[in-house]
Amino acid sequence: MTPTTGLREAFLSPSGDGLVPAPHARSPWGPDMLHGRLLGGLLARAVEREHGEPWLHVARLTVDLFRSTPMVPVQVVTSRVRDGRRIRVVDATVLTADGPAARASAVLLRRGDQPAGAVPATPPWDVPDPDRLGPAPQRPGTARRVPWDTWLLDADGRPASGWNSGHPRRAWLRETHELVAGEPLTPLVRAALAADFASPLAHAGTAGLQYINADYTLALSREPLGDAIGLESAGHLGQDGTAVGQCTMYDTIGPIGYCTVTALANPNNGFRRT
């Protein structure tokens, strides 16, 4: 019996040894391109399903998006690089009929007691959570509604009208679709899906989003609680057609980690205000 998840139609469905994307899984960068955020979610899912343990925490996930993936069936294969007493290192690769399309490396660390002493830490977020903001609006700068809920916020935590409404840029994301049909989204997969949004949040400019991300690294101190994940831009640097950026990530309780992204200028296919 297929479990009930409470989410809408999945982005991908199992078929044989692979996963087949639905039409709404396409990327806004191209009509026959699978959305990169889904590749990150699939890689996180495989790491967790095949190598996760209750006593291990996925502290770092690096996702390399080195090839445009067409809307074709995909598979994910994994291998365990290191399995020590306190650390497990895993590699994962998304495969299509044409070969590798994306890959990830993950570091899983043994859970334990926190050491004594106080360390200066990222403070809690001073913005209203999605339940107080009301229904998610159409995301500014896009011609079609994206298949997840997004709330953009300005520097004061108020709803923003677009990409350039103040710094630091802030956003809440909430998934509205299953990743794989019949499977509830785990906290790690939610975080991996949301982490891809660090690129537009950090790299969009006055002409819209003119960079496409080549990778992202998600570093988590803990898994998110609840179904809403927040991001706040913490910096952007660009030169000679490349850019790096970073965001702090939150749930409704407080900060959970960081995401860094690298990106390549893609002006001919960039998102522009509509």
Side-chain angles (χ1 to χ4, degrees):
M1 183 175 179
T2 301
T4 300
T5 66
L7 297 175
R8 301 174 196 163
E9 181 187 359
F11 289 113
L12 300 105
S13 298
S15 179
D17 295 331
L19 296 166
V20 180
H24 56 276
R26 72 177 180 88
S27 169
W29 292 107
D32 190 39
M33 181 178 172
L34 187 63
H35 205 303
R37 70 190 300 268
L38 303 181
L39 298 175
L42 290 174
L43 289 161
R45 168 182 175 268
V47 168
E48 188 173 46
R49 286 165 63 96
E50 299 178 21
H51 304 277
E53 303 282 358
W55 49 273
L56 286 172
H57 167 61
V58 180
R60 195 266 294 159
L61 178 76
T62 295
V63 176
D64 295 324
L65 303 169
F66 51 78
R67 175 180 289 175
S68 296
T69 306
M71 297 284 286
V72 297
V74 299
Q75 292 180 296
V76 184
V77 298
T78 70
S79 62
R80 196 170 296 181
V81 178
R82 164 69 175 161
D83 201 10
R85 184 173 62 87
R86 299 193 299 170
I87 185 170
R88 179 174 291 174
V89 179
V90 175
D91 285 347
T93 305
V94 175
L95 299 173
T96 71
D98 293 329
R103 68 180 182 183
S105 63
V107 171
L108 293 75
L109 301 178
R110 176 181 285 275
R111 302 179 191 272
D113 296 331
Q114 281 292 98
V119 179
T122 300
W125 222 12
D126 57 347
V127 300
D129 63 44
D131 290 338
R132 291 171 56 196
L133 292 169
Q138 168 80 30
R139 196 175 88 194
T142 58
R144 65 185 181 91
R145 184 170 180 84
V146 294
W148 64 87
D149 285 342
T150 308
W151 292 261
L152 295 180
L153 306 172
D154 65 17
D156 297 319
R158 297 185 296 252
S161 60
W163 291 113
N164 309 303
S165 56
H167 292 275
R169 297 172 183 170
R170 295 163 161 175
W172 283 110
L173 276 71
R174 178 179 281 159
E175 298 300 324
T176 56
H177 293 256
E178 297 176 336
L179 177 61
V180 176
E183 295 183 11
L185 292 174
T186 68
L188 175 64
V189 170
R190 286 186 185 276
L193 290 168
D196 181 79
F197 198 71
S199 185
L201 204 63
H203 297 316
T206 56
L209 180 58
Q210 302 293 300
Y211 291 94
I212 185 170
N213 56 320
D215 70 11
Y216 66 81
T217 293
L218 172 63
L220 290 174
S221 65
R222 63 174 176 84
E223 292 182 342
L225 302 175
D227 60 1
I229 296 181
L231 296 97
E232 179 176 80
S233 65
H236 160 89
L237 294 170
Q239 185 72 34
D240 297 329
T242 65
V244 295
Q246 57 183 332
C247 288
T248 305
M249 299 183 67
Y250 299 83
D251 62 13
T252 56
I253 305 301
I256 61 173
Y258 307 98
C259 185
T260 60
V261 291
T262 67
L264 180 69
N266 198 37
N268 293 329
N269 295 297
F271 296 113
R272 291 179 173 83
R273 289 182 172 275
T274 57

